[in-house]
Amino acid sequence: MNKVDRIRYKEYIKCANECTANRVYPLSIATGTQDGDVYVDGKGCVLFWHYCGFAYISGDVCADVLEEVYRSFLVSDTERRFLLITDSKFVSDYYSGIDMLRVDKRIEYTHSGILEKQPKLDACFVIERITADNIGVIQGRITPSFSWKDRDVFLRNGFGFMARSKEDGSFAAVAFSSAVSPEEVDIGVETAETYRHHGLASYLAYKMCEEIILQGRRPVWAHAETNTGSQKTALSVGFKPIGINTVIQKK
């Protein structure tokens, strides 16, 4: 497959929008909102590889393309991780049973609307919008740096909220736009281990949903099938599962 020059990414917005497994991550690349790579085979197949490592194939997929993806991305030493996420049985079957690959499931959600009952905020915490002044205190794995290559680009094109301890101002939790497209925003959430079980993930996720809907967009959510904590948070703020994708990556 051939790598597309960044100045041509917008030519592939239609292909990104036709990606049935997920649209927000491919569109975030094609629109230039977030970093990532686009590859084409010249026959109607397009591969979108997001900065965070999530990869999606759109268009007519053939065995030759899947073999090239296997050799060039799935089992090669790439510059960043490569997780192929698909809802295609053909793609899943092609890679099944290969010893070098790990196959998992990922649950995708859509939002059913703002719930009347808002989660309560523990009085020990204060909520702040993420700004240039406080983004540096955010810690953890699922944070803006997970899916945004550049802090300034996140502050310009993304948004989020964090919880801090009233007692000492320490970071407690964050919810942010992990991926942004014209119509959807995927939400990422992280809670510091010290401050878990205070309802912060649900409160911040609810606040993100409110903000996204005010922007005229749709909140979306996804997590590994085994992540029961993320599932609980999603259901608590009005998300409903709409499908299960297959995730293929190197062991």
Side-chain angles (χ1 to χ4, degrees):
M1 301 186 81
N2 298 312
K3 191 173 183 179
V4 176
D5 192 295
R6 190 173 297 272
I7 63 172
R8 295 183 53 214
Y9 277 12
K10 290 188 177 180
E11 297 175 22
Y12 298 93
I13 288 176
K14 183 176 183 292
C15 295
N17 205 40
E18 292 172 350
C19 186
T20 55
N22 180 285
R23 288 190 298 273
V24 64
Y25 280 91
L27 279 167
S28 74
I29 301 169
T31 57
T33 305
Q34 288 172 264
D35 283 281
D37 299 310
V38 179
Y39 293 83
V40 296
D41 72 340
K43 301 176 183 178
C45 182
V46 184
L47 172 68
F48 297 93
W49 184 18
H50 196 273
Y51 169 74
C52 73
F54 294 167
Y56 300 88
I57 295 178
S58 179
D60 299 322
V61 185
C62 64
D64 288 345
V65 166
L66 296 182
E67 183 61 27
E68 185 172 355
V69 168
Y70 174 75
R71 289 185 285 102
S72 300
F73 300 99
L74 281 168
V75 295
S76 293
D77 293 327
T78 53
E79 62 188 39
R80 61 187 185 277
R81 67 177 190 158
F82 185 92
L83 291 80
L84 182 61
I85 301 174
T86 181
D87 62 352
S88 165
K89 186 177 184 299
F90 173 69
V91 175
S92 299
D93 288 348
Y94 185 88
Y95 293 121
S96 66
I98 298 177
D99 288 341
M100 293 184 69
L101 298 181
R102 169 182 162 187
V103 178
D104 299 303
K105 297 295 182 181
R106 181 175 173 85
I107 304 175
E108 302 278 338
Y109 293 79
T110 191
H111 199 252
S112 58
I114 291 295
L115 302 178
E116 291 184 8
K117 187 177 180 181
Q118 179 178 354
K120 291 183 179 180
L121 177 64
D122 188 312
C124 296
F125 302 94
V126 62
I127 304 300
E128 299 175 359
R129 192 177 186 96
I130 299 175
T131 67
D133 294 328
N134 62 21
I135 192 171
V137 307
I138 299 173
Q139 302 173 24
R141 189 176 73 88
I142 307 301
T143 66
S145 62
F146 166 80
S147 55
W148 296 82
K149 185 177 181 180
D150 185 272
R151 178 182 294 187
D152 292 335
V153 175
F154 168 75
L155 292 171
R156 183 169 65 249
N157 295 338
F159 57 95
F161 302 92
M162 74 168 75
R164 299 175 77 165
S165 167
K166 280 186 178 179
E167 183 179 359
D168 60 7
S170 59
F171 167 76
V174 65
F176 66 99
S177 53
S178 186
V180 176
S181 76
E183 295 182 356
E184 296 179 324
V185 176
D186 181 73
I187 301 172
V189 176
E190 178 86 2
T191 303
E193 189 171 354
T194 307
Y195 295 109
R196 289 176 184 170
H197 310 297
H198 288 276
L200 294 174
S202 291
Y203 185 87
L204 290 171
Y206 184 95
K207 196 164 181 63
M208 281 293 295
C209 289
E210 282 188 318
E211 175 73 15
I212 294 164
I213 291 170
L214 280 173
Q215 293 179 5
R217 305 191 220 205
R218 182 170 56 254
V220 294
W221 189 283
H223 62 75
E225 190 176 42
T226 55
N227 192 340
T228 55
S230 184
Q231 180 183 52
K232 182 179 178 181
T233 300
L235 296 174
S236 73
V237 296
F239 283 99
K240 293 183 177 180
I242 55 170
I244 300 178
N245 286 329
T246 300
V247 183
I248 303 155
Q249 60 185 302
K250 183 166 65 174
K251 287 182 179 177

